[in-house]
Amino acid sequence: MTALQPARHEPPEGRGEPPEGRGEPPEGRGEPPDGPAERSPAPSPSPPSGEGAGGGFGGGGTQTGGIVVARVPFPVVDEISRHCLDESRPETVHIEVHLPGRVDPARLRTAFHRALARHPRILMRQAPVRWWHRRYTWQLTAAPDVDPVDFPPPGPDALARARQRALDACPPLDASPPVRLEVIEEAGGGTVLLLTVHHTALDGPACLRVLATAAELYGGAANPPGPSPVRAAGPGTERPQADDRPGARRRFSRPARIAAGPGRSPQGGRPGNGMLLAELPIPARPPRTPGRTAPYTVNDQLLVATWLMVARWNRLHAPAGPQRTAAAPATAPVVVTMPVDDRPRGAEMPIGNGTRLVSVGFGPEERLDAGPLTADPPDPDTVARLLRRTAARTRALKAAPPGRQLGLTATVLTAPVVPVGLRGAVTRALRTAAAPWTSTTLLSNIGRIPYPLDFGDAGRPTAVWFSAPARMPRGLTVTTVSVAGRIQLALRWSPALLDDAAGERLSALFRSSLAATAWTPPPAGGAVR
């Protein structure tokens, strides 16, 4: 078994630079558009079958240092992430797709390489950089530097080992593409496609778009995205009140922190993340009536379930004595950060980090209802009120004009006025200073997978999981996907916050909290919940 290598954030200066005048446009030229025109990359050497071929990053070919076809300055999100990289806390996005049948290895490798060529923005590597440079730059390459596709040997623990690699080791930034795809054969005849993405370069929805293109090329059938769900305003839609505006009355309140599990230290813990995957039923909602919209969405139910999970966990694990008020849900608002993706889902989808972050704050009203909400089980009528308040808050967020991805401060910090070394030092210092005001947790609800992901004779997915990196001070991320009428849940946590046993208990709390949001028909003559 080849030992895993750490992510390489600083490439050797000069590697991969083309000779003067050899096909590289001047710095500052924009990226080539992601379009349907197919340009197959030069084939990479096929890796030997074996775990960790190619340095443990899912590829067995030597790095080719391919010709650079364009240079793209780091966008704001990429640069902030790059400044804050930490070897002990890899910034990986994990995507896991379960197929009912077997795939043909050579055919899948060819399809994935052709998909990379159709979305050339994914063929990127970080250009060599020194502290005095004014910006970080992506080099877009004509072909992959390494083959990102690997086929680990099958076995009873092959999937578990691949998942651990996804949590512990980033694909390197100095080799194109910053993605690896591991294909694991399961004993029952199915196949798992496990994508690991370096979050400094790409996000989950962008890589899912590339995988959908690979499915189309592999299976030979079109994979057009389905229409995005739209919640139209109509009679009966509650308008948000003044106190429901995002940030109202809580702008200067420090968000609640998730109480650490027994024996955990915010300063300690092993490298990487812990993760637990589960499959849950979609909670029922009130039936729609003609001319009226549903009072809340599944996303609202997931937000409420996240609040209930955190509040109930903190109530059970609040420290005794003078420190009790620091973690008690009744004294600090729970704030849930939620990524929003406004990009189109077709072949023209921009590839990169394209989501923006919004925060849903829970505060004064929830403090008044803390007792019945954190009971076991939570009071149904109080949960129904919380669902309606949450729906008003999310409607206010959706009605607001889209802002900058990370706000004005991040835009100012990434302005190429001073060298990247100084900007990085300032960014890290501000991140540390702002830690007490970081939101309580992050909920990323992918929703229904917009593509059929039809892999021909290997079938369509029976399950899909995503997970987002979990770093302190949040220390916990919740990611959900809807597949075949079920919710695929991924809880991912920092070992400084929870151990595996605590993660299982937290998952059980989320399961019961989500079930508490389900609508139940009223008894005859009773009030509608």
Side-chain angles (χ1 to χ4, degrees):
M1 174 174 170
T2 306
L4 294 177
Q5 301 173 358
R8 294 163 290 179
H9 303 314
E10 296 288 354
E13 187 165 19
R15 188 195 64 72
E17 293 284 346
E20 184 84 23
R22 191 179 154 197
E24 182 180 348
E27 184 170 359
R29 172 176 167 179
E31 65 206 66
D34 290 321
E38 182 179 340
R39 294 179 292 137
S40 298
S44 299
S46 297
S49 178
E51 177 186 317
F57 291 107
T62 57
Q63 294 189 11
T64 62
I67 295 175
V68 177
V69 297
R71 286 173 173 265
V72 180
F74 270 38
V76 170
V77 176
D78 300 18
E79 181 171 329
I80 294 294
S81 175
R82 175 63 182 81
H83 287 324
C84 299
L85 287 180
D86 184 338
E87 293 281 353
S88 66
R89 297 170 179 83
E91 286 285 298
T92 64
V93 175
H94 141 269
I95 305 174
E96 189 174 312
V97 178
H98 289 240
L99 301 175
R102 294 272 197 248
V103 297
D104 178 80
R107 191 167 140 208
L108 179 65
R109 175 176 279 118
T110 299
F112 194 72
H113 275 262
R114 291 174 66 193
L116 297 177
R118 287 197 179 185
H119 301 279
R121 180 61 170 79
I122 198 173
L123 289 171
M124 65 172 86
R125 64 174 180 238
Q126 180 188 299
V129 67
R130 292 293 179 258
W131 73 267
W132 59 82
H133 290 174
R134 292 299 178 93
R135 62 172 77 245
Y136 293 108
T137 304
W138 293 119
Q139 295 175 339
L140 305 190
T141 62
D145 292 333
V146 294
D147 186 350
V149 185
D150 194 19
F151 294 83
D157 59 347
L159 179 56
R161 292 202 309 269
R163 285 172 175 165
Q164 198 60 54
R165 286 191 292 272
L167 302 180
D168 292 347
C170 280
L173 288 180
D174 66 335
S176 167
V179 173
R180 67 175 176 265
L181 171 62
E182 297 189 64
V183 185
I184 297 99
E185 292 185 354
E186 295 194 290
T191 303
V192 178
L193 307 180
L194 200 150
L195 270 166
T196 305
V197 184
H198 200 310
H199 203 2
T200 299
L202 300 157
D203 58 18
C207 286
L208 188 65
R209 172 62 261 181
V210 176
L211 190 62
T213 300
E216 179 178 336
L217 294 168
Y218 180 93
N223 270 253
S228 300
V230 176
R231 179 171 62 178
T237 299
E238 298 180 34
R239 306 311 303 170
Q241 302 299 315
D243 290 342
D244 291 321
R245 290 195 305 269
R249 296 200 292 174
R250 19 187 118 86
R251 184 170 299 169
F252 301 107
S253 299
R254 291 189 179 190
R257 299 264 71 86
I258 297 172
R264 297 292 97 179
S265 167
Q267 286 75 39
R270 64 171 179 80
N273 283 167
M275 181 176 69
L276 189 143
L277 307 180
E279 188 176 78
L280 310 175
I282 295 178
R285 288 185 293 155
R288 296 195 181 193
T289 55
R292 300 174 69 89
T293 57
Y296 47 81
T297 66
V298 174
N299 189 70
D300 296 325
Q301 291 174 291
L302 290 167
L303 281 166
V304 168
T306 302
W307 187 94
L308 291 171
M309 175 190 69
V310 171
R312 296 168 73 192
W313 174 267
N314 281 356
R315 183 171 179 268
L316 292 170
H317 296 86
Q323 298 177 337
R324 181 177 178 82
T325 57
T331 61
V334 171
V335 179
V336 180
T337 292
M338 189 172 58
V340 176
D341 193 353
D342 303 312
R343 291 172 292 184
R345 291 294 187 265
E348 76 283 3
M349 178 182 183
I351 302 299
N353 279 307
T355 56
R356 55 188 174 89
L357 300 180
V358 299
S359 291
V360 181
F362 299 83
E365 302 89 345
E366 287 68 45
R367 288 202 293 271
L368 294 175
D369 291 338
L373 284 174
T374 57
D376 187 18
D379 176 67
D381 293 333
T382 313
V383 171
R385 288 199 302 271
L386 178 55
L387 281 166
R388 290 191 292 270
R389 287 198 300 265
T390 302
R393 289 163 181 158
T394 56
R395 278 195 293 271
L397 286 167
K398 292 177 181 180
R404 296 178 174 88
Q405 281 184 285
L406 295 181
L408 179 60
T409 302
T411 303
V412 172
L413 283 174
T414 56
V417 178
V418 298
V420 292
L422 296 179
R423 296 208 304 272
V426 172
T427 299
R428 289 186 291 274
L430 288 177
R431 182 187 181 101
T432 301
W437 286 271
T438 303
S439 62
T440 309
T441 188
L442 180 140
L443 167 66
S444 181
N445 176 31
I446 307 297
R448 289 191 296 271
I449 298 294
Y451 317 103
L453 295 179
D454 188 348
F455 280 86
D457 48 8
R460 297 187 178 191
T462 56
V464 178
W465 278 282
F466 283 69
S467 73
R471 296 181 62 172
M472 297 299 285
R474 287 191 192 107
L476 175 74
T477 60
V478 182
T479 311
T480 54
V481 184
S482 175
V483 178
R486 305 280 290 178
I487 288 178
Q488 316 289 138
L489 166 71
L491 285 185
R492 187 163 161 181
W493 60 82
S494 167
L497 183 69
L498 305 170
D499 58 17
D500 290 346
E504 291 182 4
R505 294 196 299 272
L506 196 64
S507 175
L509 267 181
F510 186 90
R511 180 187 296 270
S512 63
S513 297
L514 185 63
T517 70
W519 176 82
T520 52
V528 178
R529 178 184 163 187

